[in-house]
Amino acid sequence: MRLMQVFTDEEGNLRSEAMSDEHGNPVLCSRAIAARDALIEQLCALPPIATALDALIEHFGTNAVAEVTGRTRRLVLGRDGQQRLERRSASANVAEAQCFMDGAKRILVFSDAGGTGRSYHADLDAQNQQRRVHFLLEPGWRADNAIQGLGRTNRTNQASAPLFRPVTTDVKGERRFISTIARRLDALGALTRGQRQTGGQNLFDPADNLESDYAKDALSRWFHLLYDGKLEAARFGDFVERTGLKLENPDGGLSDNLPTIQRWLNRILALPIALQNSIFEEYLGLVEARIEAAREAGTLDLGLETVRVDSFSVLSDDVLRTDPVSGAETRLVSLEVKRQLRPLRFKRLVRMHEIGSPQAIPLRNARSGKVALSVPARRLIADDGAVIERRRLLRPLKSANWTLDALGESLWEEVGVTEFSQLWTQEESAAAASPVTERVHLATGLLLSVWKRLPGDHVRVTRLAAEDGSSIIGREVLDIDLAKITETFGLKGVSGPAPAELGKLVLASGTPQPLASHDALTIKRSLVGGEQRLELTGYAPERLDWYKTKGCFTEIIRYRTRLFVPVSKASSILPAIAA
């Protein structure tokens, strides 16, 4: 606020100092004082920013929200629209919690202070047995507290498990806090449970943990792309000036001692929000590119996955190995699993996306007749800085990301909104009509001693949890690997997949399999003309006519005759050949 005056020191340099009058009083700037008063006037005219708790109560009303926070006083809106101070007794928490469990109040807000020792799950003995939707807001930094809070709505003797929804804003820097919770939940789960299941109960995606090996490797690559000028969000000099990070050697070149992921994330939080979001979009593109590559290679460790089913029954139970010291057994269990498919409803799809807009394009597959909604997906960043644009195809039962190049070469075509809605509704009804029965094989029991002897191409540890509370945990074994396990462990009575199922399994796994017949036949998956085919190798040339009579066909490719089995008829042709 004080005026400054310029003077010359003894060495002739210009300096400035605060002005004072002849009585030694500071001289104030009238323009600065006027600007300050105007700013204070504007700030005082703005409406107060309510906390999340007060905003919820103000929006839904005290008659709908049960507050279990331990507050002794709170501001509430009266019928006249004016705020008033309400005092709460020590027993208010107990009464509010009971109102929620009885169904008198549909919304419950609880905190660490007010939720100690209480349960809010859909208890079978409570009147309110509706499924809980647990919004995780302001979870803090302590993972053990987060697990305790989540456990209050997910307990035994419940009608249904809750749906957890972490709440974040569109400020990408906030991923810093979600990352810390995800990492600490993973570490806490590994320590307290002694198993590969994360403490987060698969609440977070692998891309949420920005301190994983994938994220650290992506950050190293991000620094190199930044230095090479291949990023759009920021330039090297500007980024260094804004963050104060030392990224360059004194003699030039990128430093070998780059900042850690934690330090980089903290400096990113100090940047303007628009710049934060741009940097994070490119960085997360690098992270997801690595995770997608690991997922496609089958090396992505998702920990223990819990799959909820309607019911399962044991078809066979064979001993693979018995430990000579402890007597513990490793068993191969074959199960028949029944589960009801829960497709994405069209009504919900309409609420999620504006169908027919440039952002949500309805598609139909010219070959299968199935429909999908194409919506934007985060683009990937290759290691050379190339941008890979993607779209996400939402379907009634699944969704997947497609690159624009792959989507352009596919048979997906744009379709009208009316036809799309009709076809989607038909698929939705057909999927929900009847439960699906599947056959699942699990290696269970003492697995450590035989882990490396099990087929390593598909490593997935799963817990099957049925509606009646029964569960089983083990490492999944594919049908196509049964023959290998039978040979490795010398099992009797355990056979590989039937010839009728062999074609479907080879197409799904890509693993060649021998076909029992008079010839040394092997069936494999081959890409010909942009489509996947089933090819027979090792056939006898003099028996080509016989194979054709069974339904096979030949094609000369690069001057060589190749034998194929029609995919649509493989279930009937392969048993005839193997007979």
Side-chain angles (χ1 to χ4, degrees):
M1 294 296 179
R2 294 185 67 176
L3 285 176
M4 306 295 291
Q5 63 180 357
V6 179
F7 69 96
T8 303
D9 61 13
E10 297 176 353
E11 299 178 357
N13 298 319
L14 292 178
R15 302 289 186 182
S16 64
E17 63 180 0
M19 291 182 62
S20 301
D21 59 17
E22 62 274 12
H23 302 292
N25 299 318
V27 178
L28 302 181
C29 176
S30 58
R31 293 177 58 188
I33 293 176
R36 179 199 64 184
D37 294 341
L39 179 60
I40 293 176
E41 182 182 31
Q42 288 294 325
L43 290 175
C44 293
L46 294 175
I49 301 175
T51 63
L53 175 59
D54 290 333
L56 285 171
I57 294 177
E58 181 178 340
H59 180 79
F60 293 102
T62 55
N63 293 330
V65 179
E67 178 189 341
V68 184
T69 60
R71 291 197 301 180
T72 57
R73 293 182 298 175
R74 65 180 180 181
L75 288 174
V76 296
L77 286 178
R79 294 183 178 180
D80 56 356
Q82 299 296 320
Q83 286 187 332
R84 59 181 177 84
L85 184 65
E86 180 184 84
R87 298 185 180 276
R88 308 179 75 232
S89 65
S91 60
N93 286 341
V94 177
E96 292 279 74
Q98 193 60 45
C99 285
F100 174 74
M101 298 301 288
D102 291 342
K105 295 186 177 182
R106 298 287 304 281
I107 302 171
L108 171 73
V109 181
F110 71 93
S111 65
D112 292 339
T116 304
R118 295 186 176 88
S119 299
Y120 311 115
H121 61 296
D123 197 308
L124 294 175
D125 298 328
Q127 296 184 30
N128 180 11
Q129 297 182 14
Q130 291 183 322
R131 185 182 189 184
R132 274 46 169 167
V133 181
H134 191 154
F135 293 91
L136 186 62
L137 177 65
E138 298 177 0
W141 291 85
R142 293 191 57 182
D144 53 347
N145 284 354
I147 292 177
Q148 187 179 34
L150 297 176
R152 303 221 176 273
T153 55
N154 187 18
R155 300 198 170 187
T156 58
N157 196 45
Q158 61 186 3
S160 60
L163 176 65
F164 293 120
R165 288 183 174 175
V167 179
T168 61
T169 67
D170 57 356
V171 178
K172 300 299 182 182
E174 194 173 352
R175 296 287 294 270
R176 169 72 174 95
F177 308 104
I178 292 295
S179 170
T180 300
I181 294 172
R183 176 180 60 82
R184 293 184 179 181
L185 285 176
D186 289 352
L188 188 63
L191 290 173
T192 59
R193 298 175 183 272
Q195 54 178 287
R196 295 170 64 247
Q197 182 180 14
T198 64
Q201 300 286 322
N202 298 321
L203 180 62
F204 298 101
D205 188 84
D208 288 327
N209 186 353
L210 300 183
E211 299 173 51
S212 65
D213 291 338
Y214 301 114
K216 292 176 182 178
D217 182 64
L219 179 62
S220 176
R221 191 63 217 161
W222 185 88
F223 280 127
H224 284 82
L225 293 176
L226 177 69
Y227 184 77
D228 294 337
K230 295 184 177 180
L231 297 177
E232 299 176 0
R235 291 291 176 261
F236 184 79
D238 181 62
F239 181 81
V240 170
E241 182 180 356
R242 285 175 176 269
T243 60
L245 294 173
K246 295 182 179 180
L247 305 178
E248 196 171 13
N249 290 319
D251 55 350
L254 193 64
S255 174
D256 295 330
N257 187 22
L258 293 172
T260 62
I261 184 74
Q262 294 88 350
R263 189 180 181 194
W264 180 79
L265 288 170
N266 290 336
R267 296 298 177 92
I268 291 294
L269 286 171
L271 299 178
I273 292 177
L275 183 57
Q276 276 188 45
N277 291 353
S278 300
I279 290 176
F280 259 90
E281 279 298 318
E282 292 183 331
Y283 170 63
L284 292 176
L286 287 167
V287 176
E288 290 199 4
R290 282 154 175 73
I291 292 176
E292 286 294 328
R295 182 179 282 113
E296 292 177 2
T299 59
L300 181 63
D301 187 3
L302 295 176
L304 174 63
E305 297 179 81
T306 299
V307 179
R308 301 198 175 276
V309 298
D310 294 340
S311 64
F312 63 82
S313 58
V314 178
L315 299 178
S316 63
D317 189 350
D318 299 285
V319 178
L320 295 180
R321 179 183 179 274
T322 302
D323 188 81
V325 178
S326 64
E329 294 180 337
T330 306
R331 312 184 72 87
L332 178 64
V333 182
S334 297
L335 306 167
E336 185 179 69
V337 177
K338 293 183 179 180
R339 60 187 179 93
Q340 186 72 42
L341 298 180
R342 294 173 175 83
L344 176 60
R345 301 293 181 180
F346 185 75
K347 291 182 179 179
R348 186 184 177 198
L349 186 70
V350 172
R351 292 196 302 267
M352 294 167 55
H353 303 282
E354 185 180 350
I355 301 176
S357 66
Q359 299 297 318
I361 304 172
L363 303 176
R364 179 179 179 273
N365 191 286
R367 176 180 297 170
S368 65
K370 303 295 184 180
V371 292
L373 187 66
S374 173
V375 298
R378 176 178 288 112
R379 60 184 185 175
L380 301 180
I381 307 295
D383 284 352
D384 60 355
V387 177
I388 305 173
E389 299 290 346
R390 298 189 302 170
R391 301 283 293 184
R392 187 164 187 83
L393 298 191
L394 302 178
R395 301 178 61 183
L397 290 176
K398 61 181 180 180
S399 59
N401 292 326
W402 287 59
T403 64
L404 291 186
D405 292 339
L407 193 59
E409 296 174 358
S410 69
L411 297 176
W412 289 103
E413 301 173 348
E414 193 168 346
V415 70
V417 176
T418 303
E419 183 181 359
F420 173 81
S421 62
Q422 294 175 349
L423 293 174
W424 184 286
T425 305
Q426 293 174 7
E427 288 188 43
E428 173 190 317
S429 302
S434 58
V436 174
T437 301
E438 300 173 321
R439 189 173 182 178
V440 177
H441 310 282
L442 293 179
T444 185
L446 183 63
L447 291 177
L448 187 60
S449 55
V450 301
W451 188 268
K452 293 184 178 180
R453 299 174 64 188
L454 297 173
D457 295 336
H458 178 84
V459 180
R460 183 179 178 185
V461 180
T462 304
R463 173 190 282 119
L464 294 179
E467 293 292 337
D468 59 1
S470 59
S471 64
I472 185 171
I473 182 175
R475 175 171 163 177
E476 281 194 27
V477 176
L478 300 179
D479 286 338
I480 208 163
D481 293 327
L482 286 179
K484 187 182 296 185
I485 288 183
T486 300
E487 180 181 354
T488 301
F489 294 94
L491 294 181
K492 296 181 181 180
V494 178
S495 58
E501 301 292 330
L502 204 55
K504 184 193 306 181
L505 296 176
V506 170
L507 283 174
S509 66
T511 305
Q513 290 293 313
L515 184 64
S517 67
H518 299 293
D519 301 323
L521 286 177
T522 298
I523 182 169
K524 69 174 188 175
R525 186 180 68 187
S526 301
L527 183 64
V528 180
E531 65 176 358
Q532 298 290 352
R533 292 186 183 181
L534 290 173
E535 181 177 4
L536 289 174
T537 61
Y539 64 87
E542 62 273 12
R543 301 191 67 192
L544 276 178
D545 291 337
W546 183 81
Y547 292 122
K548 290 181 180 180
T549 60
K550 298 299 181 181
C552 299
F553 67 95
T554 60
E555 190 170 329
I556 300 176
I557 302 175
R558 294 184 180 179
Y559 309 103
R560 185 166 65 91
T561 301
R562 297 171 65 176
L563 184 63
F564 300 96
V565 178
V567 174
S568 60
K569 300 179 180 178
S571 59
S572 59
I573 294 176
L574 292 178
I577 296 176

